[in-house]
Amino acid sequence: MAREKASRPALPDLPIVGCKGELRAALARGHAVLSAEPGSGKTTLVPLLLLDEPWLSGAKILILEPRRPAARMAARRMAALYGEEVGATIGYRVRFERKVSAATRIEVLTEGLLLRRLQADPELSGVGLLIFDEFHERNLQTDLSLALALDVVAGLRTDLRLLVMSATLDADPLCRMLPATEVSVAGRAHPVQVRYAERDPDPRDPAGACLRTLGPVLEQARRDILVFLPGRREIERLRHEVKARWGDQLDATALYGDLPAAEQDRVLQGAGERRRVIIATDIAETSLTIEGVDAVVDSGLARKPIFDPNTGLTRLETQWISKAAALQRAGRAGRLGPGLCHRAWTEQRHARLPDWTPPEILAADLAGLVLELANWGVTESQALHWLDAPPQPHWQQAAALLRQLGALDPDGRIKAIGRHMARFPAHPRLAHVLAKAVQRADQRLAADVAALLSERDPLRRAAEGGCSADIGLRLDALAAQRDNVPLPAGFDPAGMRRIARTSFQFLRLCTDAQDHEADPVEVSDCIALAYPDRVAQCTSTDGRRYRLRSGRAALLDQNDPLRGSPFLAVAGVDAGRREGAIRLAAPLTRDAVEALFAAQIRSARELHWDPGRRDIAARRLRRLDALVLEETTVGLSADDPVIDLLLDQIRRDGLAAFFADPLTLRARVETARALEPAGDWPDFSEPALLADLEYWLSPWLHSGEGAGQLRRLRLQEVLLGVLGRERARRLEEQLPTHFETPAGTRRQIQYALDGLPVLAVPLQEMLGLRETPRLACGRLALVLHLLSPAGRPLQVTSDLSAFWAGAYTEVKKEMRGRYPKHVWPDDPATAAATRFSRRRR
């Protein structure tokens, strides 16, 4: 053994080696959190330094890496340092690829595979140390894996050690939760000169912002340049521009998650003879050392999925990264020597960036997490320890979906089909389709549909955005891929190969995961089983607009051949702010809807407001949630509960839409309330009356009658009942409806909800009255509109005596010539009032 150890290459002298004693002591006592800066060697050296620790007793070390390229490269680097080929002492497992053997003691694996291993072997037999690398990325599966690992330690394996490692992480909360000892290590990154742009980029054009920066950086840097962009679309655009401008001088390569593994490895393992511009998503942000890079151009943007629990839909949003992510990206330029990082945003913008990237668990679809925990035996999130607990609305939405898929019972416990679904490395929606496929032919179709839906759409969208949503086109292309015939125009060959491989993996797992409740035989059946909440019904004459089962609206592309299909099984829909855009779907017949969801279709007699008739109507419906499958109009019956519907409609349309209301009583009462704020007058303003309809209006209404009964009611009569006899008497005394003039006439006083009472009266009927009439025991003066014999206003005043003594003189001169038959006395305050002309008198 001594000779074998001596023959191994010496480990590089990186900073992590200097703290090996502290780290070993911490893990000998229990769990540890390693805060190690970029360049310290934590990913590749820590497992090798700990491999022969006595507390391991020959057990394995599992290392969790968030990304497949990082897992492969870490295993290869460790194997090289150990002097072996990958698959001997050091190996790895990622999706579609594994290099391990019976001799493997250090195994690097991705998050999904660790969860499968935990579910199959909760004790993690033969494992002594579980390492969570790059924990700061806080992926959903990383948080779930840590919660399950802590559950294993608490209940089954007190000897299992956990080591959490990160370059940028607030370690204190994690140390308290585990609990764990923190070990900090400085890095050995070379200095990186950071520069900022003079103006912030347009988030809609990050490729353009990076292109403007790339020319100067190419002149300043000596080696390869790494460019960070939010997504594949921007990467391909910039790659095209770089080739057009500098294609004779350098190579433009891409690096993103969907890139085939062999191409990823070629990018990571170093350059050829020419300089490279490597254009990547945030996949290159951590763990990976890309050979030859000494400069970074950073757009500052990343594309993240944002889940809305209210709609059950996820949309991709382009967001600004955090300061921690920006630091990680800049560090890529200083791994091999002094470097340069040009940030395509201003220093002012940088100061406003969040310090940390929010954990995915706070904004993700939790359906897979809830299914995993139900399969683990946990029905409530509080049963486990979390660094950040799953949001309750997201949890409830996920549980509701799983109940709809039949995976959980009403109490949240997993059912037999749910256990079958948990075997598949796919979202529960797709696992549901695979678990339902029984016959071999059905399994092939289910596997193909699930593979297409689990991978990026292989049909490239045209520049103008047009692309058919018909999943049948994708399945035809997949058949062409298998038959080795040319693919139809617009399809991505690499994407089709990836889908074929995923389908094969699903098909292998179908044999042992069968359920005999349903046999999907059509593409639309498969999609409807995966997305029962997204069955959609056409609701527009142009055939573009659809209503999802949840009630949300979604649109097909203007030229999509699926337009006009009465029903669609929708698999892909962008969660727009107002209306979603249907991206993947299959036509669905009415008979298929009836057959697939027979147990969920409900028949009911419903009342609704008919805007054409402006009345309540009744209909008998057969519906699947928001989708109306059949509708028949029926008449109202004597016991139809119409009252609440009527009251709701009054609140929407207002009192004037149903009542001829002269406002007199309401205005008088509101005037009394204004005079006596502390009095017992009721609030007759429209908002108050609408808010209290159940109290004052409901007793006058009858079940089984529509809006006609409202129009037969007199609102003032109803409100007098609310006012009561005593208050009505006081109201008449203080604020009468009419005023008796000195001429013996009764003129109506006009009250307003928000103004003073007005008395419009011919001037001659007010002669002999020295002062303005007052109401409410003299507290309120009337506003007089003094009229000419023809009824036209001569004067508006609240001070009659002042008018008689002043402006009346001019009025008299003008009116005597115009109306000589009427009385225009010189002293109106003492003259006799009259309602007649001189001749009639």
Side-chain angles (χ1 to χ4, degrees):
M1 179 66 71
R3 288 193 303 272
E4 182 183 351
K5 287 185 179 180
S7 65
R8 302 211 182 280
L11 296 179
D13 184 21
L14 292 174
I16 199 72
V17 177
C19 79
K20 62 182 178 181
E22 184 181 357
L23 182 60
R24 285 169 172 168
L27 286 169
R29 296 190 300 269
H31 309 312
V33 173
L34 178 59
S35 299
E37 294 178 1
S40 63
K42 65 180 185 305
T43 298
T44 52
L45 294 188
V46 165
L48 299 177
L49 292 172
L50 299 174
L51 187 59
D52 296 322
E53 286 298 283
W55 50 266
L56 267 178
S57 301
K60 285 186 176 183
I61 298 174
L62 297 185
I63 310 169
L64 179 65
E65 286 289 344
R67 305 174 190 275
R68 280 176 279 176
R72 290 194 303 269
M73 292 301 295
R76 289 170 183 158
R77 177 61 176 161
M78 280 189 284
L81 292 174
Y82 206 64
E84 294 182 350
E85 293 293 324
V86 178
T89 305
I90 297 99
Y92 67 87
R93 296 177 194 260
V94 298
R95 192 179 184 189
F96 302 130
E97 189 178 357
R98 53 181 288 180
K99 288 197 174 181
V100 294
S101 66
T104 301
R105 288 197 57 214
I106 297 176
E107 187 174 324
V108 190
L109 69 168
T110 47
E111 299 153 323
L113 295 179
L114 176 61
L115 289 173
R116 301 277 77 75
R117 189 161 184 163
L118 280 166
Q119 292 283 11
D121 177 18
E123 293 188 6
L124 286 180
S125 304
V127 175
L129 174 62
L130 181 56
I131 300 176
F132 295 82
D133 194 21
E134 305 297 353
F135 188 78
H136 68 274
E137 293 197 17
R138 296 297 305 279
N139 292 332
L140 178 64
Q141 289 184 319
T142 302
D143 276 21
L144 174 58
S145 299
L146 180 59
L148 294 184
L150 286 171
D151 203 40
V152 169
V153 170
L156 299 172
R157 289 282 312 279
T158 56
D159 62 318
L160 179 65
R161 300 290 198 277
L162 305 180
L163 172 59
V164 180
M165 303 195 305
S166 176
T168 54
L169 178 69
D170 182 5
D172 289 343
L174 193 56
C175 289
R176 290 193 298 269
M177 184 186 77
L178 290 177
T181 303
E182 181 182 5
V183 178
S184 298
V185 184
R188 188 182 286 176
H190 296 275
V192 175
Q193 183 182 5
V194 177
R195 297 177 182 174
Y196 291 91
E198 294 182 356
R199 67 179 188 273
D200 287 327
D202 183 347
R204 296 169 297 182
D205 186 24
C210 291
L211 185 63
R212 289 190 294 271
T213 302
L214 197 53
V217 174
L218 280 169
E219 295 178 1
Q220 298 162 21
R222 294 172 299 170
R223 305 175 72 179
D224 296 343
I225 299 171
L226 175 61
V227 182
F228 284 99
L229 283 170
R232 183 175 175 181
R233 182 177 66 249
E234 294 86 355
I235 287 174
E236 292 300 334
R237 183 197 158 190
L238 183 58
R239 189 180 182 190
H240 174 77
E241 293 288 346
V242 170
K243 286 183 176 180
R245 294 192 186 192
W246 299 290
D248 58 340
Q249 307 170 31
L250 48 81
D251 293 327
T253 61
L255 182 61
Y256 48 84
D258 290 339
L259 200 67
E263 294 184 37
Q264 290 178 351
D265 292 345
R266 277 196 295 271
V267 174
L268 298 174
Q269 288 172 356
E273 296 180 357
R274 302 205 308 173
R275 290 178 71 189
R276 298 180 300 167
V277 174
I278 304 157
I279 313 169
T281 62
D282 56 3
I283 190 175
E285 194 172 290
T286 57
S287 295
L288 305 174
T289 296
I290 304 177
E291 297 295 333
V293 169
D294 69 347
V296 165
V297 174
D298 188 0
S299 68
L301 299 169
R303 191 158 291 132
K304 300 294 185 183
I306 303 298
F307 178 69
D308 183 352
N310 296 317
T311 63
L313 301 176
T314 298
R315 66 176 181 273
L316 287 174
E317 281 193 359
T318 302
Q319 302 175 334
W320 287 100
I321 60 175
S322 66
K323 291 175 183 174
L327 180 64
Q328 288 280 356
R329 292 182 177 190
R332 302 297 99 187
R335 300 300 289 267
L336 305 174
L340 170 67
C341 173
H342 190 105
R343 292 171 173 165
W345 64 92
T346 62
E347 284 192 85
Q348 292 77 13
R349 162 69 65 179
H350 188 79
R352 298 196 301 269
L353 295 180
D355 291 334
W356 308 99
T357 303
E360 188 182 4
I361 197 170
L362 299 181
D365 178 359
L366 298 183
L369 178 143
V370 174
L371 182 62
E372 289 282 359
L373 291 181
N375 197 33
W376 189 259
V378 171
T379 59
E380 297 290 340
S381 63
Q382 298 90 333
L384 296 177
H385 294 287
W386 305 91
L387 196 54
D388 291 280
Q392 203 57 30
H394 293 57
W395 180 284
Q396 292 169 353
Q397 192 280 335
L401 172 63
L402 293 171
R403 287 193 295 270
Q404 192 175 43
L405 295 175
L408 303 183
D409 67 15
D411 295 324
R413 292 187 294 266
I414 195 164
K415 297 166 67 174
I417 189 173
R419 294 200 182 278
H420 293 326
M421 290 164 57
R423 294 171 57 90
F424 292 98
H427 189 282
R429 293 180 181 275
L430 307 181
H432 184 231
V433 179
L434 296 166
K436 288 283 187 179
V438 179
Q439 302 300 322
R440 192 68 187 171
D442 295 345
Q443 290 177 354
R444 166 64 67 131
L445 176 61
D448 285 350
V449 171
L452 274 164
L453 299 181
S454 65
E455 300 288 346
R456 184 186 297 272
D457 188 358
L459 181 55
R460 300 187 183 98
R461 306 191 72 80
E464 61 275 10
C467 179
S468 175
D470 189 359
I471 198 173
L473 299 177
R474 283 83 170 166
L475 290 169
D476 292 343
L478 185 57
Q481 170 78 26
R482 292 194 176 108
D483 294 339
N484 292 318
V485 300
L487 292 174
F491 280 90
D492 175 20
M496 294 307 304
R497 289 192 295 271
R498 187 169 56 252
I499 289 168
R501 187 168 56 173
T502 302
S503 176
F504 178 72
Q505 181 193 37
F506 286 156
L507 189 60
R508 285 192 307 171
L509 294 171
C510 281
T511 305
D512 297 325
Q514 296 181 2
D515 181 83
H516 295 271
E517 295 179 10
D519 299 342
V521 294
E522 300 289 342
V523 174
S524 55
D525 294 348
C526 292
I527 295 178
L529 284 171
Y531 300 93
D533 51 328
R534 296 186 196 171
V535 173
Q537 183 178 32
C538 187
T539 59
S540 64
T541 55
D542 66 357
R544 286 190 64 206
R545 185 181 300 275
Y546 283 79
R547 179 185 294 117
L548 301 179
R549 182 175 168 182
S550 63
R552 188 173 179 84
L555 292 175
L556 276 173
D557 187 76
Q558 183 73 31
N559 301 313
D560 200 302
L562 291 178
R563 279 181 58 180
S565 300
F567 292 91
L568 291 177
V570 178
V573 56
D574 289 349
R577 295 297 182 184
R578 296 184 60 185
E579 296 174 327
I582 297 174
R583 299 302 188 196
L584 276 177
L588 191 65
T589 66
R590 161 81 174 272
D591 290 343
V593 173
E594 296 271 2
L596 285 168
F597 303 105
Q600 300 168 41
I601 294 172
R602 298 288 180 264
S603 295
R605 189 171 184 276
E606 294 185 3
L607 303 178
H608 69 103
W609 180 256
D610 185 337
R613 294 172 49 211
R614 290 203 54 77
D615 204 349
I616 291 177
R619 58 187 176 182
R620 186 166 295 281
L621 299 175
R622 294 183 68 251
R623 63 163 67 239
L624 179 63
D625 295 335
L627 308 185
V628 177
L629 305 180
E630 186 178 350
E631 177 179 351
T632 306
T633 301
V634 296
L636 289 176
S637 64
D639 56 351
D640 275 334
V642 303
I643 295 177
D644 288 343
L645 194 58
L646 285 174
L647 299 185
D648 288 342
Q649 197 63 37
I650 294 171
R651 288 191 176 99
R652 279 192 288 270
D653 295 348
L655 294 171
F658 296 93
F659 299 102
D661 180 16
L663 296 180
T664 304
L665 177 64
R666 291 174 54 206
R668 290 165 70 204
V669 173
E670 287 300 288
T671 301
R673 287 184 69 239
L675 291 171
E676 300 177 21
D680 62 346
W681 300 103
D683 187 349
F684 277 0
S685 66
E686 179 141 339
L689 289 175
L690 292 177
D692 213 15
L693 287 172
E694 286 81 2
Y695 166 69
W696 64 269
L697 184 58
S698 290
W700 295 77
L701 302 180
H702 306 283
S703 296
E705 295 186 44
Q709 61 181 316
L710 296 174
R711 300 182 182 100
R712 293 193 297 270
L713 287 175
R714 294 182 60 200
L715 184 59
Q716 293 209 127
E717 180 182 349
V718 176
L719 294 180
L720 275 172
V722 177
L723 191 61
R725 182 176 299 177
E726 173 58 25
R727 283 186 296 202
R729 181 189 62 78
R730 285 162 43 206
L731 186 67
E732 186 60 33
E733 289 177 354
Q734 297 183 32
L735 300 171
T737 58
H738 291 76
F739 173 76
E740 188 167 341
T741 69
T745 58
R746 290 185 81 242
R747 297 290 181 179
Q748 185 176 9
I749 301 172
Q750 301 167 15
Y751 292 88
L753 289 171
D754 54 358
L756 297 172
V758 172
L759 176 65
V761 60
L763 181 147
Q764 282 76 14
E765 294 184 14
M766 300 298 284
L767 295 173
L769 194 64
R770 296 178 179 273
E771 301 290 338
T772 303
R774 304 183 74 85
L775 307 176
C777 302
R779 289 175 291 168
L780 183 64
L782 284 171
V783 177
L784 299 177
H785 287 207
L786 299 175
L787 309 178
S788 71
R792 298 187 180 91
L794 295 175
Q795 183 72 22
V796 175
T797 181
S798 294
D799 189 346
L800 187 59
S801 62
F803 170 67
W804 291 146
Y808 171 74
T809 303
E810 295 301 320
V811 171
K812 175 184 66 173
K813 290 178 183 178
E814 181 182 352
M815 290 296 104
R816 274 181 173 174
R818 187 176 296 180
Y819 300 102
K821 297 179 181 180
H822 288 75
V823 177
W824 304 100
D826 293 332
D827 186 6
T830 60
T834 179
R835 59 190 179 96
F836 301 116
S837 64
R838 293 177 185 272
R839 180 175 297 178
R840 288 192 64 187
R841 291 177 64 190

